[in-house]
């Protein structure tokens, strides 16, 4: 399979568009609550789609990553610099990148662009605070 560009609509969670995730060392986001048609397309090209019973709020989702900051704009095409909160909605342009190496083979989802159609506000807690 050659590279394939897809546009996926869904709920946006854990958006690290302009700073790297400390665990993965990548810019990344979860694209959640994907439609049945999107899930079917992703699986047809050989990709893995997550759906975990302990995370029902995510529904069917993928994690798309990038080695560089992910272009993020609003519905009018204006750049968004702030934090995109969990529960925001949008369209994500993803490159399906096939890999085959000593660790295995599959499809890597590369986030290219995020178009936020509904921005969820962050809570009053800073992103590093944990409220118990």
């Amino acid at each position: 399979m050659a590279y394939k560009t897809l546009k996926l609509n869904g709920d946006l969670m854990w958006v690290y568009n302009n700073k790297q995730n400390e665990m993965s060392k990548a810019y990344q986001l979860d694209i959640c609550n994907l439609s049945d048609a999107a899930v079917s397309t992703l699986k047809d090209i050989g990709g893995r789609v997550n759906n975990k019973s302990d995370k029902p709020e995510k529904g069917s989702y993928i994690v798309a990553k990038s080695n560089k900051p992910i272009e993020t704009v609003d519905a009018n095409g204006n750049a968004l610099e702030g934090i995109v909160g969990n529960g925001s909605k949008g369209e994500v342009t993803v490159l399906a990148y096939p890999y085959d190496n000593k660790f295995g083979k599959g499809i890597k989802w590369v986030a290219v662009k995020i178009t936020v159609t509904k921005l969820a506000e962050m809570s009053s807690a800073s992103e590093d605070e944990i409220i118990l």
Side-chain angles (χ1 to χ4, degrees):
M1 178 193 104
Y3 301 106
K4 185 169 184 122
T5 303
L6 307 162
K7 290 191 177 186
L8 301 171
N9 288 298
D11 296 337
L12 311 177
M13 294 187 161
W14 304 109
V15 179
Y16 287 83
N17 57 322
N18 54 18
K19 98 175 193 184
Q20 292 178 325
N21 177 296
E22 291 181 16
M23 290 178 61
S24 68
K25 304 297 184 210
Y27 301 91
Q28 68 182 58
L29 76 152
D30 294 0
I31 310 166
C32 304
N33 295 308
L34 296 168
S35 69
D36 292 341
V39 170
S40 179
T41 298
L42 296 170
K43 288 181 177 181
D44 285 349
I45 62 174
R48 188 176 118 230
V49 177
N50 302 303
N51 194 325
K52 298 181 178 176
S53 61
D54 64 333
K55 297 181 181 182
E57 71 282 2
K58 288 186 166 193
S60 296
Y61 72 98
I62 64 168
V63 179
K65 298 181 180 182
S66 177
N67 292 328
K68 60 183 182 177
I70 305 165
E71 179 184 4
T72 306
V73 299
D74 66 16
N76 297 317
N78 300 312
L80 283 177
E81 301 296 330
I83 297 171
V84 178
N86 285 351
S88 294
K89 295 186 181 297
E91 177 183 84
V92 183
T93 303
V94 174
L95 179 65
Y97 178 94
Y99 66 90
D100 186 356
N101 60 37
K102 67 181 181 179
F103 302 108
K105 64 180 181 174
I107 301 293
K108 178 179 178 181
W109 310 117
V110 179
V112 176
K113 181 179 181 181
I114 304 167
T115 302
V116 178
T117 56
K118 180 181 175 194
L119 183 62
E121 297 293 324
M122 289 294 290
S123 70
S124 59
S126 78
E127 61 185 270
D128 294 325
E129 280 184 302
I130 298 174
I131 300 173
L132 301 174

